Amino acid sequence: MQIVGVMVCNGRIDDERLRRTVAARLLRYRRFRQVIQEDPDGLWWIDDADFAIAAHVRRSLLPPPGGKTGLQNFVAELASMPLNPARPRWEFNVVETADGNSAIVIRIHHVIADGIALIGVIHSLTDGRADAPPQTGLPATEAGAPPTPGRGNANDDTGSGIWRTLFEPLVDLAQASLSLGGNLWGQYQGLRRDPAALRDYTSVVRAVAEEIGRLALMPGDTPTRFKGTACTIKRVAWSQPLPLAEIKAVGQALCCSVNDLLLAAAAGALRSYLVHKGDAVEGAEIRAMVPVNLRRAGDGEELGNHFGLVALELPLGSDNPLVRLYATRARMTALKASYQAMLTFALLGAAGMAPRYIEEQILKLLTSKTTAVMTNVPGSAEARFLAGCRIEQQLAWVPQAGDIGVGVSILSYNGRVQFGLITDRNMVDDPQWIADQFGREFEKLLWLALLETPERLLDPLLVADDVNALSKRHDAHAAR
């Protein structure tokens, strides 16, 4: 359960300056200097008495054949290896690429923080210009440190215990501007003032029970080669970056959000892969768990995990990209108006404090009905510099629990959008094919937005012939 990222930097990075930068800026978060200890009372964060920055920021050799393929193989190898539990669970590996540049492969265990928080943490390591003065020194405290020096519950990084785990999602949900009715919000405020009044709020209990019931009774999605028994070997791939301005313009023309557009393009790429392999796709729909950020505005660097999950069904059955796009938009709109993100957050938090068997059953329930995990994380809008080197490219991959074998990550940086894919070898041994197809699926939507009138775009069936012509042209281009 590690989040893996790559930063490709222009030129050779100075190892000593990088270590000083990481020591000064990353280690202000106490979690990065702590390990997890288990005893009869539970799991606890404790300070690592033997912590050494050199054990976490080090240089590695890029295996042959070098280049992008060598870097992908290196990232996949690291993604397949667990982090050392005897040390704080994170590391930076610096490798030199054949073109004279450097790449930094970052691994951070999900127990430390979620993707939104880590984007903020990594951003704090960087500067807006190459000649920014380096920082030195190790701060004594961490933002959000445990209340007891040297020891904090690993299941509760805020110190507020079961109360936050079960009910604070209501606050997070409201702050995230998701749908939380005024009546329910008033009930929550009353509950905070008088916890004993829980028995009076039957509507809250009913809403929770109904949503959990829907999750429990959720049918399995279409069996495809993307599902199976996971092994310990991963594959990673990434696409050529796409201009964010173009994506926004196409989204505006098609009356869709950037997120809807990118998710639909990902669905098209996955569908094309199944067709390429000769698999049946008629009526196929696969379910992806999509994380929803439940943090308050301004809490981007607060560590811990503060996200819910919504189960998005990706329409793979249609060969019409507009049909897939509009179906994705409608389903995401419905999910945003539901309690699902809030309740999965509370459910997973409660599962973490339940006996191990119950926790395993809840996770099994969620993962058995899911084919992929898909996330869309915004990075810096402008180019950044790390230890004096300009970051040219940023990539990230999300972990997958259980037998989920596909992880899709979409990350924006410096006006470009990067599509990344991590797969289990048993299910997809050649994810680069899917990554390359992602750009082609977006191009289909781009050409439709340019060539069709707004009236025709409202009805995907009106442009079916044009869609088929575009598909044939793209297939011929791919064959060459």
Side-chain angles (χ1 to χ4, degrees):
M1 290 300 294
Q2 55 187 311
I3 296 173
V4 181
V6 174
M7 290 189 290
V8 179
C9 300
N10 185 20
R12 301 296 193 207
I13 199 161
D14 183 276
D15 292 355
E16 188 56 37
R17 181 172 177 178
L18 177 62
R19 288 195 184 99
R20 290 199 308 268
T21 300
V22 172
R25 304 185 189 184
L26 185 69
L27 299 185
R28 66 189 178 93
Y29 299 94
R30 190 173 180 179
R31 284 286 180 262
F32 288 91
R33 291 180 278 122
Q34 293 185 311
V35 296
I36 294 176
Q37 174 181 284
E38 185 171 8
D39 61 27
D41 294 328
L43 298 167
W44 305 91
W45 290 106
I46 63 170
D47 294 336
D48 181 11
D50 299 321
F51 179 82
I53 189 67
H56 295 268
V57 182
R58 58 178 184 261
R59 184 168 290 275
S60 301
L61 294 175
L62 190 65
K68 180 179 178 180
T69 300
L71 181 57
Q72 288 179 334
N73 292 341
F74 181 67
V75 174
E77 182 179 356
L78 290 179
S80 304
M81 297 168 51
L83 288 157
N84 187 350
R87 295 175 179 167
R89 298 193 192 192
W90 64 275
E91 68 176 26
F92 285 33
N93 276 276
V94 183
V95 295
E96 295 181 355
T97 57
D99 56 4
N101 296 323
S102 301
I104 305 171
V105 183
I106 302 171
R107 295 198 295 158
I108 302 176
H109 199 284
H110 219 313
V111 71
I112 294 177
D114 55 37
I116 289 291
L118 291 179
I119 284 291
V121 169
I122 297 301
H123 182 80
S124 71
L125 299 179
T126 66
D127 302 294
R129 65 182 198 274
D131 58 349
Q135 290 177 273
T136 58
L138 179 60
T141 60
E142 170 211 8
T148 303
R151 183 176 166 102
N153 194 315
N155 288 328
D156 174 26
D157 66 345
T158 64
S160 56
I162 193 169
W163 174 264
R164 175 175 175 84
T165 303
L166 294 180
F167 298 109
E168 191 67 7
L170 293 172
V171 174
D172 293 329
L173 189 67
Q175 295 293 335
S177 299
L178 299 178
S179 292
L180 182 63
N183 183 44
L184 183 57
W185 177 248
Q187 291 175 349
Y188 169 71
Q189 293 295 346
L191 185 61
R192 283 191 67 103
R193 291 190 294 270
D194 181 15
L198 176 62
R199 61 182 180 273
D200 298 327
Y201 295 122
T202 56
S203 60
V204 176
V205 176
R206 187 181 304 114
V208 171
E210 289 176 354
E211 194 63 52
I212 290 178
R214 278 191 287 270
L215 287 172
L217 297 175
M218 188 167 53
D221 52 0
T222 304
T224 66
R225 66 173 58 240
F226 298 136
K227 296 190 77 139
T229 301
C231 67
T232 60
I233 300 176
K234 302 292 185 182
R235 297 285 188 257
V236 301
W238 55 85
S239 68
Q240 290 296 318
L242 299 174
L244 180 58
E246 283 188 10
I247 296 173
K248 289 182 176 180
V250 174
Q252 185 175 13
L254 299 177
C255 300
C256 294
S257 70
V258 168
N259 190 55
D260 295 336
L261 199 66
L262 296 174
L263 290 175
L270 293 170
R271 180 188 189 278
S272 295
Y273 182 78
L274 294 179
V275 173
H276 171 67
K277 292 294 184 178
D279 297 348
V281 294
E282 184 177 357
E285 293 194 348
I286 63 172
R287 187 173 294 115
M289 284 294 181
V290 180
V292 176
N293 179 31
L294 297 180
R295 294 173 179 273
R296 299 177 180 88
D299 284 352
E301 286 193 31
E302 180 185 347
L303 299 189
N305 287 272
H306 304 283
F307 66 91
L309 294 169
V310 294
L312 173 65
E313 293 182 351
L314 296 173
L316 271 59
S318 174
D319 61 354
N320 189 321
L322 281 183
V323 170
R324 294 194 298 267
L325 175 62
Y326 293 156
T328 301
R329 178 183 63 184
R331 293 171 184 182
M332 280 302 299
T333 300
L335 288 171
K336 290 175 184 177
S338 74
Y339 295 107
Q340 197 171 118
M342 173 189 73
L343 293 175
T344 52
F345 178 51
L347 182 63
L348 291 173
M353 293 184 293
R356 183 68 57 87
Y357 172 77
I358 296 178
E359 178 184 13
E360 290 174 351
Q361 293 305 305
I362 292 175
L363 293 176
K364 183 179 179 180
L365 168 69
L366 293 176
T367 59
S368 65
K369 300 176 183 295
T370 304
T371 293
V373 178
M374 303 182 73
T375 182
N376 182 7
V377 180
S380 173
E382 299 178 348
R384 303 288 293 178
F385 296 80
L386 177 60
C389 290
R390 178 186 170 101
I391 302 170
E392 300 294 344
Q393 194 174 20
Q394 280 191 340
L395 305 152
W397 293 270
V398 296
Q400 304 87 52
D403 282 328
I404 297 177
V406 177
V408 174
S409 299
I410 300 170
L411 177 66
S412 62
Y413 169 71
N414 191 25
R416 301 187 300 176
V417 173
Q418 193 79 61
F419 174 85
L421 197 65
I422 183 168
T423 62
D424 187 274
R425 186 190 65 177
N426 281 357
M427 302 169 203
V428 179
D429 195 36
D430 52 346
Q432 189 59 51
W433 198 99
I434 302 174
D436 292 339
Q437 190 65 28
F438 176 77
R440 300 186 187 110
E441 291 298 325
F442 169 73
E443 287 179 7
K444 293 178 185 179
L445 294 168
L446 170 63
W447 282 108
L448 287 173
L450 290 173
L451 298 176
E452 300 290 348
T453 64
E455 293 77 15
R456 285 172 59 83
L457 288 173
L458 294 176
D459 186 352
L461 297 180
L462 292 178
V463 297
D465 291 340
D466 296 337
V467 168
N468 290 333
L470 281 172
S471 298
K472 290 179 180 179
R473 186 169 71 178
H474 278 277
D475 290 344
H477 175 76
R480 292 195 299 269

